[in-house]
Amino acid sequence: MGQFDEQAVLITGAAAGIGRATALAFAGDGGNVMVSDIDIEGGEETANMIEQAGGKASFLAADVSNTDAVSKLISATVKTFGRLDCAVNNAGIEGKILPFKDQTKENFDNIIAVNLKGTFLCMQAEIDAMLNTGGGAIVNLSSVAGLIGFPGLSPYVASKHGVIGLTKNAALEYGTQGVRVNAVCPGGIDTRMLDSLASQATAGSQSSSEMMDPLHPIGRIGRVEEVADLILWLCSSKASFVTGAAVPVDGGFVAQ
Ligand code: NAD
């Protein structure tokens, strides 16, 4: 018996990294998983990995910044699995590291469109679907960059602070109707995104682990499974009194 048996779970940005690990963890705990991403090859691979392990998954390509694509994604999830119980809004991009005054409007618009507007569009459609079946749980991927600033990453920092704002507001507005909404705030996690940030910051001279292990009080960057574990707990019935929270999973980073 899994704790998500018979439950329908949607995960965006699930072709790689934290999203893929979260999809595998939900499926391993009984959930029926709708895997979504703009990366078709990677997304199909995640769904195949789940099915090969005996789980149930479906893949649908969707760009979270596109209103129609998001609307079709949520409808398809409900059509495929009959309902929507848990949603993880994980799709995100990091963009370019540039001083504040040199940030381009294009970089700003792209990051806000995916990380903030994308999360907003998904949440609207997910809440609508969840209200039809008596509630559900949403987890949004913020970041330690949603809690503190990081020089060179102003659009990313703004987008991740905004995600916490959306999380709090939706939690307030739908708490009595059975929809819980929380955010997770990872520190450095070993993924493609962190590799890209480390390579930009050190002009390719250091790996993400070399650059970022010492910045975390635990002495290392995190593993994708360590973020997935928190997401699953927040979606589970064990977190029934937790909503509107922004929970760090950061090896002590924001405690410094
Ligand atoms: P990743 O780059 O490995 O995965 C991100 C996924 O999102 C990719 O598969 C990508 O194709 C997908 N994606 C990008 N734009 C999309 C769009 N418009 N529509 C749909 N899918 C899209 O990165 P990750 O590290 O696994 O990041 C996952 C989330 O965690 C992001 O929101 C990121 O900001 C957040 N996060 C990551 C870290 C870290 O250190 N890795 C730290 C804090 C927060």
Side-chain angles (χ1 to χ4, degrees), residues 12-20 36-39 62-66 89-94 113-115 141-145 156 160 184-195 197 212 224 227:
T12 66
I18 294 168
R20 171 176 282 178
S36 185
D37 207 291
I38 43 171
D39 172 357
D63 177 344
V64 296
S65 66
N66 180 309
N89 297 314
N90 165 80
I93 54 175
E94 72 285 6
V114 177
N115 295 5
L141 266 288
S142 179
S143 167
V144 287
Y156 184 79
K160 293 300 185 179
V184 295
C185 301
I189 307 297
D190 189 11
T191 69
R192 200 162 58 183
M193 181 181 286
L194 200 68
D195 291 342
L197 287 170
M212 298 201 193
V224 287
V227 182

Side-chain angles (χ1 to χ4, degrees), residues 7-225:
Q7 292 198 27
V9 182
L10 166 65
I11 304 170
T12 66
I18 294 168
R20 171 176 282 178
T22 305
L24 293 170
F26 267 112
D29 213 344
N32 299 326
V33 183
M34 177 61 82
V35 172
S36 185
D37 207 291
I38 43 171
D39 172 357
I40 296 174
E41 206 185 316
E44 283 177 343
E45 196 177 288
T46 302
N48 286 338
M49 286 166 79
I50 290 174
E51 300 227 309
Q52 272 162 23
K56 201 166 164 199
S58 206
F59 170 73
L60 189 64
D63 177 344
V64 296
S65 66
N66 180 309
T67 313
D68 288 344
V70 168
S71 163
K72 282 183 190 139
L73 172 63
I74 277 62
S75 305
T77 306
V78 171
K79 200 167 169 200
T80 307
F81 297 127
R83 50 191 292 117
L84 179 63
D85 299 287
C86 307
V88 183
N89 297 314
N90 165 80
I93 54 175
E94 72 285 6
K96 298 191 188 86
I97 300 182
L98 286 168
F100 195 102
K101 68 180 180 52
D102 300 330
Q103 280 288 348
T104 64
K105 289 178 186 58
E106 192 193 6
N107 194 35
F108 185 86
D109 285 347
N110 286 342
I111 293 174
I112 296 297
V114 177
N115 295 5
L116 186 57
K117 185 180 163 199
T119 301
F120 173 68
L121 294 174
C122 289
M123 287 173 73
Q124 280 194 316
E126 289 157 4
I127 289 167
D128 204 34
M130 287 174 179
L131 291 176
N132 285 332
T133 48
I138 295 175
V139 173
N140 295 324
L141 266 288
S142 179
S143 167
V144 287
L147 300 169
I148 56 175
F150 283 83
L153 285 174
S154 44
Y156 184 79
V157 165
S159 73
K160 293 300 185 179
H161 275 69
V163 165
I164 294 179
L166 294 176
T167 301
K168 288 180 178 171
N169 236 72
L172 300 186
E173 294 186 35
Y174 297 101
T176 58
Q177 292 169 76
V179 180
R180 291 185 303 104
V181 190
N182 292 291
V184 295
C185 301
I189 307 297
D190 189 11
T191 69
R192 200 162 58 183
M193 181 181 286
L194 200 68
D195 291 342
S196 154
L197 287 170
S199 147
Q200 288 189 61
T202 67
S205 69
Q206 285 187 319
S207 70
S208 57
S209 170
E210 284 166 338
M211 183 195 160
M212 298 201 193
D213 282 354
L215 303 179
H216 293 77
I218 272 185
R220 62 168 176 85
I221 55 173
R223 296 183 289 270
V224 287
E225 294 80 10

